[in-house]
Amino acid sequence: MDKMKVIKQSFAELSPFLTALGDEKRQSIILELMADKACDGLQVTDLMAASDLSRPAVSHHLKVLKEANLVDFRREGTKNYYYLQHELGEINQLKTLLDQITAVIEKQQ
């Protein structure tokens, strides 16, 4: 398969991941989860303050981040604690895509 087809396919496969990363509110949620030093996870109410969003809006953004394999949660009774996903598949795919794009750009110089 030629390089451009591979890059196009990589973009298509990573589209949900890139969409999840592209939103500023989701970025603020990711940053807040990264700042959780204990890595115990944060509740929606914790993320509401950090992102200046309502509970339903935070829940929606968490759903998008979860579908993109960026966030996961654990349940303790009736409480959910959200944390960054430890699976790095999409992140590694993004690194590969960026390396492929860089190679094409460098070849054109």
Side-chain angles (χ1 to χ4, degrees), residues 6-88:
V6 170
I7 291 172
K8 184 177 180 179
Q9 181 178 347
S10 294
F11 268 122
E13 290 171 4
L14 283 170
S15 183
F17 183 78
L18 294 170
T19 299
L21 285 178
D23 184 88
E24 288 181 31
K25 295 298 185 177
R26 287 192 282 272
Q27 291 168 11
S28 69
I29 290 171
I30 290 168
L31 291 170
E32 193 65 22
L33 292 171
M34 289 175 68
D36 178 26
K37 301 287 189 235
C39 297
D40 291 331
L42 298 173
Q43 293 182 278
V44 170
T45 52
D46 301 321
L47 297 169
M48 287 169 56
S51 62
D52 199 29
L53 291 171
S54 67
R55 178 182 291 272
V58 169
S59 294
H60 166 75
H61 287 296
L62 285 168
K63 180 181 180 219
V64 172
L65 291 169
K66 188 167 179 351
E67 289 172 353
N69 295 320
L70 281 163
V71 169
D72 205 353
F73 72 97
R74 66 180 165 69
R75 185 169 286 143
E76 287 185 14
T78 59
K79 297 178 182 179
N80 291 335
Y81 293 88
Y82 294 87
Y83 57 89
L84 292 176
Q85 174 71 267
H86 296 116
E87 170 60 43
L88 301 176

